[in-house]
Amino acid sequence: MKEETIENDKLIYDKIQLPKHNYITSNLLIKRKFINEDDIETFMYDALFEELIIQQQYDFKIVLISASYVIARIKSNKFLD
């Protein structure tokens, strides 16, 4: 019974069309393997970058450079703080 429920959930999940991620999330975070595409947190990163660029009016280039710098430092430190 539980296996059927899991299988049904997988079928439903496969049919759901999720929105595409913004450029910074897909090209910096996912392609550089900072986060997995399957993580639900990817949409939180989308919201963060959109808020920085649209609502707080930071330049796209500044957000891109800043995110790239932070990701490089975190990865070079092996995700340790």
Side-chain angles (χ1 to χ4, degrees):
M1 181 73 168
K2 189 173 185 177
E3 291 178 15
E4 290 177 15
T5 304
I6 292 172
E7 188 64 33
N8 288 338
D9 289 347
K10 287 180 182 178
L11 291 173
I12 292 170
Y13 180 75
D14 289 341
K15 292 180 183 179
I16 296 174
Q17 293 293 324
L18 298 174
K20 292 185 178 182
H21 296 293
N22 67 32
Y23 179 84
I24 298 173
T25 304
S26 62
N27 288 318
L28 282 181
L29 301 180
I30 296 172
K31 286 187 180 177
R32 292 185 181 186
K33 298 186 186 332
F34 186 72
I35 57 174
N36 293 326
E37 189 172 7
D38 297 339
D39 288 344
I40 194 68
E41 293 176 357
T42 56
F43 295 104
M44 293 169 50
Y45 286 107
D46 285 340
L48 170 66
F49 295 133
E50 289 170 12
E51 181 179 337
L52 289 172
I53 293 168
I54 296 170
Q55 294 178 0
Q56 296 186 11
Q57 300 176 351
Y58 285 100
D59 186 37
F60 178 81
K61 184 178 178 181
I62 296 298
V63 175
L64 184 67
I65 291 169
S66 300
S68 181
Y69 176 80
V70 170
I71 291 166
R73 296 299 147 249
I74 290 172
K75 287 185 80 172
S76 69
N77 201 24
K78 298 182 174 125
F79 293 88
L80 299 174
D81 192 11

